[in-house]
Amino acid sequence: VLLTVALVCALLVASSVSASVPARSPVGIDMCPLCVNFMGESINELLNIILNAGVVGGCSDLCGQLPKELEQVVCNLLCDYVGIEEFIKAIQKADLDPIYYCQLIHVCPDNDCTGQCAQISSLTVQPPSGRTGQKFDINLLFGVFNPAGTGEIDCEVIPPVGFPVGGGDLVPEFKPGNYTATFTLSTEPTEDTPFVPGVYKVDCAICEASGVLATRRAASSTRRPPPSPS
């Protein structure tokens, strides 16, 4: 029985992704992913603090209300860089989108692509078939034709029974060139995703903040594991 897999963003693990990195982040090359990861966890909480507090004195007053010390450190780093007023304005404007927020404060590149932006030339699953419980590698080959800002390589697996699972990887900046990306999918059954034998669809997309740049679909298959020896 076949299992078709579709890729988007959640339980997939990015085992190796080769893509461009930001060349002009004003506060260091690692600041864009740091900002996106932090805001992905904290932007909603920060917005609630701002709405409930009304008037916020400064960065330390705002960031000090976050529950974890590491969150406070990253929050203060970003807030001190842009200033408390711009920090708050960006949170209110970003509509809970962490990438858009980090672009608003100029930590992540904001370069909307025009024309033909990207193409996924190959999407394969290895092994092409297997048993429930084993791991599958999803391999992408893609080209970027025109520069684009911060985005993601996203994939989703849609099983015949259970909830879709997915995974993704942040790309701080897409630069023209040819790239590869590999995601590993574990088909160990869970309560939400039992990974029953069958056909699962696999979709991958190259995305930036303003929209989808390229998509492609592939398939894989799986069988029931052999019975345990008695």
Side-chain angles (χ1 to χ4, degrees), residues 5-13 120 123-124 138-140 152-158 164-169 181-185 201-207 216:
V5 186
L7 310 174
V8 175
C9 271
L11 300 181
L12 292 179
V13 176
I120 300 174
L123 174 58
T124 61
I138 296 98
N139 303 302
L140 295 86
E152 294 179 312
I153 305 170
D154 291 335
C155 293
E156 185 178 63
V157 178
I158 305 173
V165 297
D169 199 66
T182 299
F183 295 88
T184 299
L185 171 68
K201 297 178 181 177
V202 181
D203 293 327
C204 284
I206 307 297
C207 310
R216 195 175 180 99

Side-chain angles (χ1 to χ4, degrees), residues 12-186:
L12 292 179
V13 176
S15 58
S16 63
V17 175
S18 174
S20 53
V21 296
R24 49 188 174 83
S25 174
V27 285
I29 199 167
D30 294 326
M31 206 61 184
C32 179
L34 178 65
C35 177
V36 172
N37 291 333
F38 166 70
M39 280 298 167
E41 296 289 333
S42 304
I43 190 169
N44 187 57
E45 191 167 6
L46 284 168
L47 181 60
N48 287 330
I49 292 172
I50 292 167
L51 294 175
N52 292 328
V55 177
V56 178
C59 292
S60 59
D61 294 329
L62 173 59
C63 298
Q65 297 186 56
L66 292 172
K68 298 179 181 178
E69 184 177 356
L70 181 58
E71 292 175 334
Q72 296 175 16
V73 171
V74 178
C75 178
N76 274 299
L77 179 65
L78 295 171
C79 184
D80 288 341
Y81 173 72
V82 298
I84 185 64
E85 291 186 5
E86 292 302 318
F87 187 79
I88 291 176
K89 285 180 182 178
I91 290 175
Q92 294 171 328
K93 185 178 180 180
D95 195 26
L96 302 180
D97 183 334
I99 292 180
Y100 183 38
Y101 171 84
C102 296
Q103 290 176 329
L104 287 173
I105 65 169
H106 308 295
V107 170
C108 290
D110 182 8
N111 181 22
D112 290 343
C113 180
T114 57
Q116 185 179 11
C117 301
Q119 181 180 26
I120 300 174
S121 57
S122 174
L123 174 58
T124 61
V125 181
Q126 294 295 330
S129 65
R131 300 184 183 278
T132 299
Q134 75 178 76
K135 294 180 179 180
F136 295 81
D137 286 337
I138 296 98
N139 303 302
L140 295 86
L141 296 176
F142 66 96
V144 176
F145 308 119
N146 287 305
T150 304
E152 294 179 312
I153 305 170
D154 291 335
C155 293
E156 185 178 63
V157 178
I158 305 173
V161 177
F163 297 99
V165 297
D169 199 66
L170 179 73
V171 180
E173 184 176 16
F174 289 101
K175 296 180 179 180
N178 295 314
Y179 302 95
T180 63
T182 299
F183 295 88
T184 299
L185 171 68
S186 173

